[in-house]
Every structure is written in structure tokens, then in C-alpha cells.
Amino acid sequence: MRFILSLVVSLGVVTAAPFELLSKRALGDHEWTRSKRDGCPVYLEEGEYEFPHYITQISQVEPDKAFGPQFNGLITPNDISSVFSFDVPESRADANCTLEFIFPRQDQLKTSQFSYEGAGTFFFNGYLAGSCPGPETTFNNQPTPGVFPPFPPIHMEPGYAYTLDVGPCTFAAGTCVAGVTSSNDTTFQFFQDKDECPIGIYNAYSYGLPCPPEYC
């Protein structure tokens, strides 16, 4: 995960640029299934992925406001950003971590909804591994920044799954990893939901050599 690049890159095991968009895959209606036999590219295998363990927001306009724990992601142009945090168990030290944002169309969702308005430009920036958000998090009191400067923007729109990173979990195992998502031109609010039709950001586990992102 690029949330942990501050540790991984120093050992020379990373092959992609931080938060480089590795793949963008259309979500066809036939892909909404929980059967691997159908090759669903957004299949979340039970017990083999992490839902964000903490979600909160920060505001540039109200930099000392603490939003506390949230269920929704909320992003507004040049103001509110969403912070997502994952706990990676120590037992996952030998796994691969795939960070993916799943963004279905509204008609593909069963138990969630979203609002989306704008050009679709998003920025993902990671914090230092082990430095994660809590009830006290504000724009002026964020987790410790990672070692990388801001990364290139990513375009996202409904109807696609976006693989943001595939990398070893080794250096995050046993701690938390977090990052912040912002935009300069888009208002986006969604209920992070892992039900029949998932939406939001997830960390999926796999073992052995990672498969090419277009097939994962």
C-alpha cells in the first residue's frame, strides 16, 4: 500500500510510483456476485480484506474542527477531505496488500448511496505508518505526514473500480496505515458499505506473487 511507502521504498521493493493509478476497470452488472468462478474484479473475499477501521474528515476552512468518527466519506473542493485508516494484523506480514477504491453507479448499489458533482479530480496522500487518526484529528492536527510530496491527481467517476496500489503488507503489519483523500473540483459524499454491492476504499489481501492489477 502506498500508505506505507515511507517504509517500503527505502528497501527497494516498490515498482510503481506512489499512488499511481494502476488500473481502472468498468463494473458491469454481471460482476456483482460473490462467486470467484465468475471472475468478479471487485470480489471481496470474506476474511481477506479490511474495511476502514476509522473514517473522519478535516476542513481547511475550519482547521481546528474535529469531526470525530464517521460512517460517510465526504470531500468538497479545496475544503473538506476524508481520512481513512486501516489496521493491518501482524499475521498479514507475508501477504500482499491491494488498495482499491470501488465506485459503482448508483443503480448498481443496493444498500448505499452517493452524491457526486464536479470534474472528478482526487488526490490521495499517505501518512506515516503507525500514525493514524482519532477523535482529536483536525486539519491542524493530522497524523504525521509520509515522506513523499503530494502525488499526481487521479480521475474517478461512477461505474469503475480503481486499483491504487499493490504492494507487500510486511511493513504495515501489526500497526495502522492511513491516508487522506481530497479534491480541488468535486463534491463527493458516500456511505462506505461492504454489502452486496460495495462502495468505498478497501485493502484486500492476497498471497504469492501479486496478479496483474487488471485481473485483481
Side-chain angles (χ1 to χ4, degrees):
M1 295 172 64
R2 293 303 185 264
F3 287 161
I4 59 172
L5 266 184
S6 57
L7 295 175
V8 177
V9 78
S10 64
L11 298 183
V13 296
V14 174
T15 58
F19 282 121
E20 177 184 358
L21 180 61
L22 300 184
S23 74
K24 172 185 176 181
R25 302 185 302 283
L27 301 177
D29 293 337
H30 68 284
E31 293 171 339
W32 292 118
T33 175
R34 289 306 175 102
S35 171
K36 276 188 172 181
R37 293 172 299 180
D38 295 315
C40 177
V42 295
Y43 174 80
L44 295 174
E45 184 177 356
E46 192 66 33
E48 295 300 324
Y49 68 92
E50 297 291 343
F51 191 85
H53 296 147
Y54 196 85
I55 301 173
T56 192
Q57 278 82 48
I58 56 177
S59 170
Q60 294 185 53
V61 174
E62 298 180 271
D64 295 316
K65 178 179 179 178
F67 288 77
Q70 302 289 319
F71 293 105
N72 287 4
L74 174 62
I75 299 161
T76 65
N78 302 310
D79 181 15
I80 296 177
S81 303
S82 280
V83 177
F84 300 91
S85 179
F86 297 92
D87 294 334
V88 181
E90 191 172 354
S91 61
R92 298 293 187 173
D94 59 343
N96 304 307
C97 284
T98 297
L99 185 68
E100 184 165 60
F101 197 99
I102 303 172
F103 193 1
R105 302 187 314 268
Q106 185 63 63
D107 64 275
Q108 293 173 311
L109 292 171
K110 305 292 185 183
T111 57
S112 184
Q113 60 183 1
F114 67 84
S115 59
Y116 172 95
E117 182 178 359
T121 304
F122 295 92
F123 300 85
F124 292 83
N125 288 307
Y127 297 122
L128 198 63
S131 180
C132 289
E136 74 287 349
T137 297
T138 67
F139 184 83
N140 283 338
N141 184 33
Q142 298 183 50
T144 304
V147 299
F148 289 93
F151 304 127
I154 293 171
H155 175 78
M156 296 199 307
E157 59 188 293
Y160 296 89
Y162 299 85
T163 299
L164 305 174
D165 181 61
V166 180
C169 301
T170 305
F171 305 99
T175 187
C176 55
V177 286
V180 59
T181 305
S182 59
S183 180
N184 60 1
D185 59 15
T186 302
T187 297
F188 181 32
Q189 182 172 13
F190 64 95
F191 174 64
Q192 173 92 24
D193 186 19
K194 60 181 180 181
D195 205 1
E196 181 179 354
C197 299
I199 183 173
I201 193 165
Y202 297 87
N203 175 38
Y205 299 118
S206 62
Y207 292 87
L209 293 175
C211 65
E214 62 268 25
Y215 300 111
C216 297

